[in-house]
Amino acid sequence: MSSRPLTLARQLARPELLQLEPYQSARRIGGQGDIWINANESPFNRASLPRLNRYPECQPPALIAAYGRYVGVADNQIVCSRGADEAIELLIRTFCIPGRDSIAQFGPTYGMYGISARTFNVGVVSLALNADYSLPQDFSAVAGCKLVFICNPNNPTGTLVSPRVIEQALQDLPEQLVVVDEAYIEFSPAYSVVSLLDKYPNLVILRTLSKAFALAGARCGFMLASEDVVSMVMRVIAPYPVPLPVSELAEAALSEAGLQAMQADVTLLNTQGVRLSQALQQLGAEVLPSGGNFILAFFDDIQAVSQGLKDAGIVARAYKDPRLVDAIRFSFSNELETGLVIEALERILN
Ligand SMILES: *Cc1c(COP(=O)(O)O)cnc(C)c1O
């Protein structure tokens, strides 16, 4: 056996994974030649997309390179997954021993950290965000949790955590993985902690093409982490997690033109968000400042607002969390729909 020193990732990983040899898919083994009869694929391509009869690469190199260029991160620090949701699940499966380990989260926050953990019988330590929904800065309560999730901007509150506070968490929790979920970071790019990746082996960042990149239907997310974390996660990931059509769509979204379109969308959505936020405040709702493509608004008569929106055919998000029973989250939309939502709210609240 190798006497490799235990990196943080190997120390934290489920011990059985250190022995596990990952499935040697035909694509991983590779080979050279003109006749490919090693993977029981069909020789007939009936689809309009070239090579769809063939298994895709586990991590399509062109896609990883494109995302690496976009974020300024080395290829071996990137994992592409079926959405950020799969990345959450992969982290839990890679690092948490069922029935023994726990993850930590600061709520109210994104539901999938807790749900994913529970599906693997992994504990969930739920700590409360401060009264103003900022992140508590005493991290002693999460000691012992293998993964500490920080959502930034936080869904559903929209609140932002400054990179300085995240760096403090990384320093206070050197033996744990701090997972910063940046699903909405394109709407607040100055808050990204990507630049801290090389400095902190305990930092993991989650990204997605589902929000600003307008590809929720494609299911494409990314994990950015140290090479060691990436290599442990690669032992757990499915052999072919990135369908060929998905990588093609994702590469186009990450091209020069794709990035420009994304930026234009972000600008437009932020403008409509300001418009919606101002209208809500004028109508007496309390609105949290948001760094994402949504706002959380609190109403005096939540029943009336919920019913009114429903009657108007507007589907927004309500919450069961005791702190959010009076709140509704509104995703930003285009100019036309924003106008219709504001009109409906005026009818309901005036
Ligand atoms: C939407 C969302 C995700 C999931 O993203 P997918 O890539 O679509 O799986 C992850 N985290 C947060 C905070 C989200 O809001």
Side-chain angles (χ1 to χ4, degrees), residues 43-349:
F44 311 116
N45 186 20
R46 304 191 192 285
S48 52
L49 208 62
R51 293 191 58 78
L52 205 64
N53 56 322
R54 300 293 180 182
Y55 280 110
E57 302 273 359
C58 177
Q59 296 285 287
L63 173 58
I64 297 293
Y67 204 76
R69 271 195 304 279
Y70 165 55
V71 283
V73 164
D75 293 5
N76 61 8
Q77 294 177 298
I78 303 173
V79 178
C80 180
S81 57
R82 288 170 289 208
D85 282 342
E86 192 195 22
I88 294 166
E89 185 183 301
L90 287 170
L91 285 166
I92 291 166
R93 286 174 56 207
T94 304
F95 294 104
C96 297
I97 300 172
R100 201 194 86 177
D101 287 333
S102 301
I103 65 143
Q105 63 179 4
F106 299 89
T109 191
Y110 186 54
M112 281 311 291
Y113 316 131
I115 290 171
S116 227
R118 289 186 187 101
T119 65
F120 292 106
N121 192 25
V122 162
V124 181
V125 174
S126 278
L127 297 155
L129 291 169
N130 295 326
D132 63 354
Y133 301 101
S134 59
L135 191 73
Q137 293 190 34
D138 175 3
F139 298 107
S140 53
V142 303
C145 296
K146 286 251 179 97
L147 307 172
V148 179
F149 285 90
I150 297 175
C151 189
N152 193 33
N154 186 47
N155 180 6
T157 58
T159 38
L160 285 158
V161 186
S162 88
R164 192 179 39 74
V165 171
I166 292 175
E167 183 157 20
Q168 191 59 55
L170 290 162
Q171 287 172 359
D172 291 351
L173 305 168
E175 308 277 273
Q176 294 149 266
L177 293 180
V178 176
V179 185
V180 183
D181 185 341
E182 296 188 343
Y184 299 97
I185 206 66
E186 282 81 13
F187 296 92
S188 297
Y191 286 78
S192 176
V193 287
V194 161
S195 65
L196 299 181
L197 261 184
D198 285 332
K199 195 166 165 200
Y200 295 98
N202 57 334
L203 173 59
V204 179
I205 297 172
L206 304 180
R207 294 291 193 90
T208 180
L209 301 188
S210 294
K211 308 290 165 48
F213 283 93
L215 281 179
R219 310 309 300 132
C220 188
F222 297 89
M223 177 192 307
L224 314 174
S226 75
E227 194 185 341
D228 290 312
V229 167
V230 166
S231 79
M232 291 314 301
V233 169
M234 289 308 295
R235 293 175 185 230
V236 173
I237 201 167
Y240 311 106
V242 189
L244 191 67
V246 172
S247 60
E248 306 243 318
L249 291 165
E251 279 170 47
L254 293 163
S255 67
E256 194 94 355
L259 291 174
Q260 269 173 25
M262 181 275 284
Q263 295 295 354
D265 287 355
V266 165
T267 304
L268 183 151
L269 289 168
N270 280 338
T271 304
Q272 295 308 313
V274 169
R275 184 179 163 215
L276 177 63
S277 171
Q278 284 170 351
L280 279 162
Q281 283 169 282
Q282 269 158 21
L283 292 166
E286 191 199 324
V287 173
L288 290 180
S290 174
N293 65 338
F294 55 88
I295 36 173
L296 193 66
F298 293 79
F299 298 94
D300 291 334
D301 188 350
I302 191 73
Q303 244 44 8
V305 177
S306 296
Q307 191 58 50
L309 290 171
K310 203 172 159 193
D311 294 344
I314 295 167
V315 187
R317 185 81 179 250
Y319 294 89
K320 293 203 183 89
D321 186 304
R323 289 170 81 180
L324 304 183
V325 285
D326 292 325
I328 292 177
R329 190 192 64 189
F330 297 85
S331 306
F332 298 167
S333 188
N334 60 29
E335 190 172 354
L336 174 71
E337 287 190 359
T338 305
L340 294 171
V341 170
I342 292 172
E343 275 172 32
L345 286 164
E346 284 170 347
R347 277 197 307 276
I348 298 163
L349 288 163

